[in-house]
Amino acid sequence: MIQMREVCKTYDTGVVALSHVNVDIQKGEFVFVVGPSGAGKSTFIKMLFREELPTEGRLLVNGHDVVEMDRSEVPYLRRELGVIFQDYRLLPDKTVFENVAFAMQVIEAPRRLMQRSVNSVLDVVGLRDKYRSFPSQLSGGEQQRVAIARAIVNNPSIVIADEPTGNLDPETSWDIMDIFKRINRAGTTIVMATHDRNIVDTMKKRVIAIEDGRIVRDQQRGGYGYEA
Ligand SMILES: Nc1ncnc2c1ncn2[C@@H]1O[C@H](COP(=O)(O)OP(=O)(O)O)[C@@H](O)[C@H]1O
Ligand SMILES: [Mg+2]
């Protein structure tokens, strides 16, 4: 479902963020992408939803050829993906309900379906009683749960997260990981970049380690693998 072949990314500045990356990720996998700051984790993540394009190599996501695809095909790729960021990226002037519903309006879902789906994903993340709150009235962990609800409301086949627990305390981070575990158990593929040693070591999922733009380790049931 994700296939990278000899993928390289050099930014306009000349920085080589990724070089000769080869990765296959199958449906239903849970994958951590780890590595020091500046290693290329975010670049790896951004290429999956075509926020950045590879400068060389081939990249297939859900059967879409990310490099060769027409600009008009990009929305179709993105609606099959749920993307979650460290800083939540909620719309501050919209309620919890509206933030999640917005993701469905974008794909022009029928109103009845929208009500039902939004309520259902707010249940999944345990925030149904906060549907009328604004982001500023929520804790960081609650805001991230809204972002997860928004990411999954259109039933994506892949959830992509860049340091989703980066701004959260350990206990709240585990609440977020419990939601990810549940989403994964329901069959959704998860690709998550993280710095969180404790989470990676405890969950024993596949670990792809990147250093200086290269994959230095790709291990099933792996650990974080760096000294603190
Ligand atoms: N938009 C950009 N333009 C130029 N260089 C960038 C850009 N984004 C990231 N980089 C550089 O690419 C390298 C990898 O960055 P990044 O993928 O953000 O790493 P990580 O997420 O592992 O910290 C770093 O040297 C970073 O400075
Ligand atoms: Mg990053």
Side-chain angles (χ1 to χ4, degrees):
M1 108 171 328
I2 295 172
Q3 193 180 79
M4 290 191 186
R5 287 291 175 274
E6 295 295 323
V7 164
C8 303
K9 173 69 184 181
T10 305
Y11 284 107
D12 294 343
T13 54
V15 172
V16 179
L18 290 175
S19 62
H20 303 286
V21 170
N22 291 287
V23 164
D24 283 280
I25 296 173
Q26 310 300 333
K27 180 167 173 44
E29 280 198 89
F30 196 130
V31 182
F32 288 120
V33 178
V34 306
S37 185
K41 302 181 296 298
S42 293
T43 302
F44 182 98
I45 292 282
K46 283 175 183 167
M47 289 196 308
L48 300 178
F49 59 102
R50 209 176 186 268
E51 175 80 8
E52 294 290 350
L53 273 172
T55 38
E56 272 178 60
R58 276 174 64 77
L59 170 56
L60 293 178
V61 176
N62 266 358
H64 300 275
D65 186 325
V66 170
V67 182
E68 297 294 330
M69 79 197 299
D70 200 79
R71 190 174 279 277
S72 63
E73 205 183 329
V74 175
Y76 296 95
L77 166 72
R78 292 201 180 145
R79 71 180 56 171
E80 295 169 20
L81 310 173
V83 187
I84 297 157
F85 304 94
Q86 179 170 358
D87 56 0
Y88 326 129
R89 302 200 189 174
L90 302 176
L91 300 165
D93 301 331
K94 290 190 184 291
T95 64
V96 164
F97 186 94
E98 290 163 349
N99 263 280
V100 179
F102 189 70
M104 291 193 82
Q105 282 159 7
V106 170
I107 67 162
E108 295 173 346
R111 204 176 171 77
R112 293 281 283 285
L113 174 67
M114 191 155 85
Q115 282 278 350
R116 194 155 17 101
S117 305
V118 174
N119 287 334
S120 150
V121 290
L122 287 178
D123 272 342
V124 170
V125 300
L127 274 185
R128 191 146 181 186
D129 54 334
K130 301 260 176 160
Y131 73 103
R132 286 206 280 197
S133 301
F134 288 91
S136 61
Q137 299 170 318
L138 301 176
S139 70
E142 288 169 336
Q143 291 184 58
Q144 192 60 296
R145 285 194 270 156
V146 177
I148 294 172
R150 178 183 58 187
I152 63 174
V153 74
N154 294 323
N155 288 312
S157 47
I158 310 174
V159 164
I160 298 161
D162 195 356
E163 313 242 13
T165 62
N167 288 346
L168 304 175
D169 60 67
E171 194 186 326
T172 310
S173 297
W174 276 113
D175 293 341
I176 296 298
M177 294 315 298
D178 285 337
I179 297 169
F180 280 160
K181 275 195 241 176
R182 250 183 290 143
I183 296 169
N184 178 243
R185 245 183 263 129
T188 308
T189 308
I190 302 206
V191 183
M192 168 173 159
T194 184
H195 259 110
D196 195 321
R197 160 190 309 276
N198 184 27
I199 284 173
V200 175
D201 284 344
T202 306
M203 290 198 35
K204 299 191 169 57
K205 300 294 188 185
R206 179 174 172 190
V207 174
I208 296 175
I210 304 182
E211 283 175 29
D212 280 335
R214 292 174 183 275
I215 293 188
V216 295
R217 179 162 56 101
D218 185 347
Q219 189 178 21
Q220 299 295 332
R221 296 180 57 81
Y224 189 80
Y226 294 95
E227 296 308 314

